[in-house]
Amino acid sequence: MAGLIKREDVEAVRERARIEEIVSAHVTLKPAGVGSLKGLCPFHDERTPSFHVRPGVGRWHCFGCGEGGDVISFVQKIDGMGFTDAVEFLADRAGVQLRYEDSRTGAAADRGPREEPGRRQRLIEAHKVAAEFYSEQLFGPGAQAGRAFLAERSFDRADAEHFGVGYAPTGWDALLRHLQGRGFTQPELVASGLVSQGQRGIYDRFRGRLVWPIRDVTGAVIGFGARRLYDDDQGPKYLNTPETSLYKKSQVLYGIDLAKKSIAQGKRVVIVEGYTDVMAAHLSGVDSAVATCGTAFGGDHAKVVRRLLGDTTAGGGLQLASGASLGGEVIFTFDGDAAGQKAAVRAFGEDQRFHAQTFVAVEPGGMDPCELRMARGPEAVRALVDGRQPLFEFVIRTTLDTFDLDTVEGRVGALRAAAPLVAGIRDRSMQLGYSRSLARWIGIDTEDVRREVARAATAPSRGSRQDQRQDQRRDARPEPEAVPATPVLAAPDPRDPVARLERQALIVVLQYPQHVPASFDELGEDAFGVPAWRAVHDAVRAAGGVAAGREVGGGRWVETVTEQAPETVVPLVTELAVAPVPEDREAVIGAYVADVVRALVDLGLTRRIADAKSRLQRLDQEKDPAAYQQAFTDLLAIEQQRRTLRERSES
């Protein structure tokens, strides 16, 4: 099995993926000086643009919230992707063929057709064409049943177009003929899952159905969900794309492309049960709603949600008195019937995968968001979500509702049924809190509840022996420890004139190494007095100085410096590589860079002159005339260096 992407291929992706094009898909960028662009940050709310992109060095940074990085990190953060997925996405766009290190031998290995950029892009294109075809068919003469289905649920044409809803004609090969006419081959169509293979050949998988395009976080269509419309259709009520190299049902969430920005900014995701529920929620103002596609919410779905929430801290989010969670919220909506309660219990098991607070929102009358919007309007959908309750509480109290708590037998049975649920809460503080709540809800002593919870925690599973062995293996795995956030080395006071000059010098060194005088590399390790900027200068020196910068140039130079910098210094390097430069005239930028560096060298010489004078004053000319004379000579030499530097700058 293939492992890590080869380093040189990652570098090729960084160089060939144009950062301004990737960012412009999410942010409106405007010129902000020579080689710089700026716009409103997509990662926090702001009215004045503080988000800067510098294509020449391949970096972005927001001076408002402090986020920053390269083109890969931008895709990771904006689309909630892991590093490998982000590199593969950019490789597809840039046409870079990726190679992988074999996890067993360390040798380069192919990862199969899924990772071949050309192959994957062909399948993506086939789905794009299919989505356009279905969308056009919805407003044709044969799709009356599809339009009626939407109208009955209060969705109009604009809503259908916004969500890309379409219609699959009743014939056997309408889409097949359309795609073949666009140049797609039979093997490509079979691999895409858009057609099925039968004894007599291939035919359209979806026929006579309302169709929803399922997109990944980047907005690319990777599959479809189709709803039965006609009574003579013997297939299932909902039919989805089969498992393909693009479509893994355990990993996709319908509506994620539309909801990702709201999820990332609001730190809240609402998980509903169907396509129309997603539509109803978004149209009601709950634009962080997503749904699973033909399967229950599982561990892989949780990973997707966690990335979008930025859910990486251990211990859970802190909950405010208002019910809001500082660590983010995951809200499940379920029908109020037995099936919905069963789904809530399944979600209870997945809760342990989140460090955000997990809630459930159930409409007392049993209506789902789509039905609620039709019956009571958008406000009712918003009220449903805002009225959420903690998932732990919902599952426990739902369990208690099945017992008669007015009898001793009922209370004992309720305790025995609910104790394992409380014991399953891994957060110790939460477990203790719910033990107290359980005692109050049942009406028994808290110590009795704690003893029963402790007993349930050590009791064997009721499942099969195989299930017990799986549980033991899972429990034997150590819990992931909290990964502390990397502290960022504090930037100095911008009002300090020395700090400002040192910062400006590092900005031009990172952004314009080709214009930096060679004398910069002669500066010693003590040339920068501010600790933060000294740390950046150390990374510059370790990367080979401006001589190396002139050789590699552009983004590769900044990347080289970043590789040499400690983790605490990397954010500062990114900030400096993107920071605006006061001089915005292309013709004189070289002179500006030289002036900044000369001013820094002058500052260093001035500092050295002060040190030399101090040393001279401490020496006794009569007791040690040789040392005094040497110190005096050194002082004169430094003063001459500064005098020569200033004369050159004036000429």
Side-chain angles (χ1 to χ4, degrees):
M1 181 177 177
L4 297 174
I5 302 171
K6 295 197 71 176
R7 181 189 178 99
E8 53 264 41
D9 292 346
V10 174
E11 293 304 327
V13 168
R14 282 198 180 98
E15 291 176 5
R16 295 176 58 176
R18 298 179 62 84
I19 190 170
E20 67 272 28
E21 293 180 359
I22 300 300
V23 174
S24 292
H26 306 275
V27 180
T28 299
L29 296 174
K30 297 181 179 179
V34 176
S36 181
L37 304 167
K38 69 178 180 180
L40 294 174
C41 180
F43 305 121
H44 81 288
D45 292 327
E46 63 176 6
R47 294 183 180 181
T48 303
S50 57
F51 180 90
H52 287 250
V53 177
R54 191 164 285 275
V57 298
R59 292 267 155 174
W60 60 276
H61 181 82
C62 176
F63 292 89
C65 66
E67 294 287 351
D70 60 9
V71 65
I72 298 173
S73 66
F74 180 83
V75 171
Q76 284 183 264
K77 186 166 182 64
I78 198 73
D79 288 327
M81 289 184 173
F83 178 81
T84 299
D85 290 336
V87 173
E88 290 173 345
F89 165 71
L90 291 169
D92 278 349
R93 288 182 58 108
V96 176
Q97 176 69 54
L98 297 178
R99 295 165 297 167
Y100 298 78
E101 298 289 347
D102 191 287
S103 58
R104 295 161 298 183
T105 66
D110 293 329
R111 197 173 170 183
R114 179 183 179 275
E115 282 71 29
E116 295 176 9
R119 168 78 161 183
R120 177 179 171 84
Q121 196 58 41
R122 286 288 292 173
L123 299 185
I124 291 288
E125 184 64 24
H127 279 81
K128 178 182 178 182
V129 173
E132 293 170 348
F133 173 80
Y134 288 142
S135 184
E136 292 172 357
Q137 297 300 311
L138 180 61
F139 303 104
Q144 177 58 39
R147 295 193 295 273
F149 177 94
L150 293 172
E152 290 168 1
R153 288 156 180 79
S154 301
F155 299 126
D156 58 22
R157 177 167 183 157
D159 299 333
E161 291 176 343
H162 177 69
F163 291 94
V165 184
Y167 175 77
T170 54
W172 288 85
D173 61 355
L175 178 64
L176 171 61
R177 287 186 286 107
H178 180 73
L179 290 172
Q180 287 180 327
R182 296 289 293 271
F184 292 98
T185 66
Q186 181 171 320
E188 288 174 334
L189 297 181
V190 172
S192 72
L194 294 169
V195 301
S196 297
Q197 181 82 52
Q199 293 182 348
R200 298 183 179 180
I202 61 175
Y203 55 90
D204 291 355
R205 177 175 178 81
F206 306 116
R207 304 178 306 281
R209 287 176 173 255
L210 199 62
V211 177
W212 285 264
I214 299 170
R215 301 182 175 94
D216 64 14
V217 291
T218 71
V221 180
I222 57 175
F224 293 91
R227 209 274 190 191
R228 185 178 60 204
L229 293 173
Y230 304 107
D231 294 337
D232 59 354
D233 187 338
Q234 300 302 308
K237 183 177 180 180
Y238 282 95
L239 181 65
N240 288 80
T241 293
E243 293 280 308
T244 69
S245 61
L246 296 180
Y247 182 85
K248 306 292 183 184
K249 65 181 180 181
S250 65
Q251 301 173 6
V252 297
L253 290 167
Y254 175 70
I256 197 71
D257 57 309
L258 299 174
K260 62 184 180 183
K261 184 175 181 180
S262 176
I263 294 172
Q265 290 187 340
K267 300 300 181 185
R268 170 192 276 192
V269 59
V270 179
I271 300 167
V272 298
E273 293 195 319
Y275 306 125
T276 56
D277 291 332
V278 171
M279 295 175 67
H282 280 249
L283 294 172
S284 299
V286 183
D287 53 1
S288 60
V290 297
T292 58
C293 302
T295 185
F297 188 88
D300 287 337
H301 296 123
K303 292 178 183 177
V304 175
V305 170
R306 287 189 62 184
R307 285 199 298 266
L308 288 172
L309 286 173
D311 183 6
T312 58
T313 57
L318 298 175
Q319 193 169 358
L320 303 175
S322 63
S325 170
L326 293 177
E329 296 183 359
V330 180
I331 304 173
F332 293 90
T333 66
F334 301 110
D335 295 339
D337 56 15
Q341 293 177 6
K342 185 177 180 180
V345 173
R346 285 198 305 269
F348 178 88
E350 295 302 330
D351 175 88
Q352 310 296 335
R353 300 179 185 273
F354 296 107
H355 296 306
Q357 293 287 311
T358 314
F359 299 85
V360 62
V362 175
E363 201 283 319
M367 288 188 287
D368 58 35
C370 183
E371 295 168 334
L372 193 58
R373 174 175 174 265
M374 287 190 293
R376 303 178 193 167
E379 299 81 5
V381 178
R382 295 195 294 271
L384 170 68
V385 174
D386 291 340
R388 72 238 181 272
Q389 69 180 117
L391 178 60
F392 289 157
E393 177 182 340
F394 175 81
V395 172
I396 294 170
R397 301 200 75 156
T398 298
T399 300
L400 299 183
D401 287 344
T402 62
F403 295 89
D404 182 0
L405 301 182
D406 291 331
T407 67
V408 173
E409 293 79 5
R411 290 193 291 273
V412 172
L415 175 59
R416 290 175 177 172
L421 298 175
V422 178
I425 301 175
R426 295 181 182 177
D427 186 312
R428 179 65 176 166
S429 298
M430 295 279 284
Q431 186 185 100
L432 293 174
Y434 274 102
S435 293
R436 291 191 293 269
S437 296
L438 179 58
R440 186 174 69 254
W441 294 332
I442 297 178
I444 59 178
D445 187 73
T446 300
E447 287 304 315
D448 291 339
V449 172
R450 289 179 177 174
R451 282 193 294 270
E452 186 64 25
V453 169
R455 189 193 66 78
T458 59
S461 169
R462 294 184 179 182
S464 65
R465 291 184 178 180
Q466 180 180 359
D467 290 339
Q468 292 178 26
R469 287 195 297 270
Q470 291 175 345
D471 289 342
Q472 290 168 359
R473 286 195 297 269
R474 181 171 60 247
D475 293 340
R477 292 196 298 267
E479 284 296 301
E481 297 181 357
V483 179
T486 302
V488 178
L489 194 61
D493 187 346
R495 294 170 296 182
D496 181 349
V498 173
R500 285 204 308 270
L501 176 58
E502 291 185 355
R503 179 178 186 271
Q504 202 61 38
L506 290 171
I507 287 174
V508 299
V509 164
L510 290 169
Q511 296 183 18
Y512 299 103
Q514 70 275 22
H515 295 310
V516 176
S519 59
F520 181 86
D521 284 345
E522 298 173 5
L523 296 175
E525 60 182 14
D526 59 348
F528 285 77
V530 178
W533 305 144
R534 187 185 307 125
V536 176
H537 182 226
D538 288 343
V540 170
R541 295 173 70 218
V546 291
R550 284 192 290 269
E551 183 177 344
V552 298
R556 186 70 195 103
W557 164 233
V558 175
E559 189 63 30
T560 303
V561 175
T562 300
E563 291 170 355
Q564 298 298 328
E567 286 188 52
T568 54
V569 180
V570 169
L572 291 177
V573 175
T574 295
E575 174 189 334
L576 296 170
V578 178
V581 177
E583 178 54 67
D584 60 359
R585 293 172 295 172
E586 188 78 44
V588 296
I589 193 70
Y592 170 78
V593 170
D595 286 345
V596 169
V597 173
R598 274 195 292 267
L600 177 72
V601 174
D602 187 292
L603 176 65
L605 291 172
T606 300
R607 188 183 297 125
R608 289 175 59 194
I609 289 172
D611 292 340
K613 287 182 177 179
S614 175
R615 181 170 181 268
L616 189 64
Q617 289 175 356
R618 294 194 301 273
L619 292 173
D620 190 323
Q621 184 176 7
E622 294 182 359
K623 291 183 179 180
D624 193 351
Y628 185 89
Q629 183 59 41
Q630 183 59 52
F632 184 70
T633 302
D634 292 341
L635 172 60
L636 292 178
I638 300 171
E639 289 180 332
Q640 181 58 44
Q641 288 182 42
R642 187 176 65 174
R643 192 158 41 248
T644 301
L645 178 69
R646 291 180 175 180
E647 289 173 353
R648 287 176 180 174
S649 64
E650 293 173 357
S651 60

